[in-house]
């Protein structure tokens, strides 16, 4: 079936640096993508989303880039803080009435002091 | 608003036992979902529902059953627990009008 995958399972960055988390998706029919943050023992927390008719979307310290040509999604976190340490998932919303989410494996981001 | 509430938070089952994971949402969302998350992995869809009385299988439905008698409740039933069902289970809801998914805090299930 369709799947969403991530390139790097772990990523370590220094506090204050920028981080980039990548994601490859396989379902070209998906028209909506979401990045989630998951802290230990908690459920996924919404970070930012993007529709397929957009290339870039910015939030507070986060930016999502979408390259539909190569089916690639990235999450950029600026000026990382210790609280950014978590696992990050990309997810795509499958077209259809139920709006099912398909998640990738996840990337564990560690912020070093 | 409590959002999506899952109970219990933790449970240990013996092989062959049964249990029901409870999920309740108070946001009047039409869509509800059950996911499982194995260690180091993303969430996989078990079952979903687009409204009361309507349920359908997701990617990994074997060994589970669901019901949706009301808009608010979407319980997940394990009839004969197996070690392969050791996982963290998340319930989520979503209003039909947008993609505003809300997740519960999860149920950590261990089958021994």
């Amino acid at each position: 079936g369709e799947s969403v995958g991530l390139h790097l399972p772990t990523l370590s960055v220094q506090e204050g640096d920028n981080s980039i988390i990548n994601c490859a998706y396989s379902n070209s029919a998906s028209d909506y993508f979401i990045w989630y943050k998951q802290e230990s023992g908690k459920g996924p927390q919404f970070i930012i989303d993007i529709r397929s008719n957009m290339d870039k979307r910015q939030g507070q310290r986060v930016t999502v880039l979408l390259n539909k040509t190569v089916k690639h999604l990235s999450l950029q976190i600026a000026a990382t803080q210790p609280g950014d340490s978590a696992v990050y998932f990309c997810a795509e919303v499958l077209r259809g009435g139920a709006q099912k989410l398909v998640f990738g494996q996840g990337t564990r981001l560690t912020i070093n002091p | 608003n409590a959002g999506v509430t899952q109970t219990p938070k933790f449970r240990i089952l013996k092989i062959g036992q049964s249990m029901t994971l409870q999920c309740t949402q108070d946001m009047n969302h039409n869509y509800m979902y059950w996911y499982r998350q194995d260690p180091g992995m993303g969430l996989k869809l078990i079952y979903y529902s687009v409204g009361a009385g309507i349920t359908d299988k997701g990617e990994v439905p074997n060994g589970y059953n669901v019901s949706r008698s009301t808009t608010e409740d979407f319980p997940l039933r394990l009839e004969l627990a197996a070690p392969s069902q050791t996982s963290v289970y998340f319930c989520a809801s979503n209003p039909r009008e947008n993609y505003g998914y809300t997740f519960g805090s999860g149920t950590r299930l261990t089958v021994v």
Side-chain angles (χ1 to χ4, degrees), chain A residues 2 31-32 34 36 38 41-46 49 51 89 93 96-106, chain B residues 31 33 35 37 40-45 48 50 57-59 90 94-99 101 103-106 108:
Chain A
E2 295 89 356
D31 58 4
Y32 192 84
I34 306 173
Y36 286 97
Q38 187 177 29
K42 297 183 178 180
Q45 177 186 0
F46 173 91
D49 55 9
R51 290 191 178 274
F89 295 95
V93 178
Q99 299 175 354
K100 294 178 285 185
L101 278 173
V102 176
F103 285 82
Q105 182 178 1
Chain B
Y31 298 164
Y33 316 84
Y35 289 89
Q37 184 177 31
M41 302 296 290
L43 284 68
K44 292 186 177 181
L45 184 63
Y48 64 96
V50 298
K57 296 178 180 179
E59 182 183 1
F90 289 100
N94 175 34
R96 183 171 49 199
E97 298 76 27
N98 59 50
Y99 300 116
Y101 300 89
F103 285 84
S105 58
R108 184 175 296 274

Side-chain angles (χ1 to χ4, degrees), chain A residues 34-105:
Chain A
I34 306 173
W35 278 101
Y36 286 97
K37 174 185 180 183
Q38 187 177 29
E39 296 174 299
S40 181
K42 297 183 178 180
Q45 177 186 0
F46 173 91
I47 302 174
I48 193 168
D49 55 9
I50 188 168
R51 290 191 178 274
S52 61
N53 61 355
M54 302 171 68
D55 297 322
K56 179 179 180 179
R57 189 161 189 227
Q58 288 184 292
Q60 187 175 9
R61 288 201 303 118
V62 293
T63 300
V64 55
L65 300 177
L66 176 62
N67 185 331
K68 294 179 288 294
T69 302
V70 295
K71 298 180 186 176
H72 184 267
L73 201 66
S74 69
L75 175 70
Q76 301 177 0
I77 305 174
T80 54
Q81 304 168 358
D84 294 330
S85 292
V87 177
Y88 291 82
F89 295 95
C90 66
E92 59 179 324
V93 178
L94 299 183
R95 283 187 180 174
Q99 299 175 354
K100 294 178 285 185
L101 278 173
V102 176
F103 285 82
Q105 182 178 1

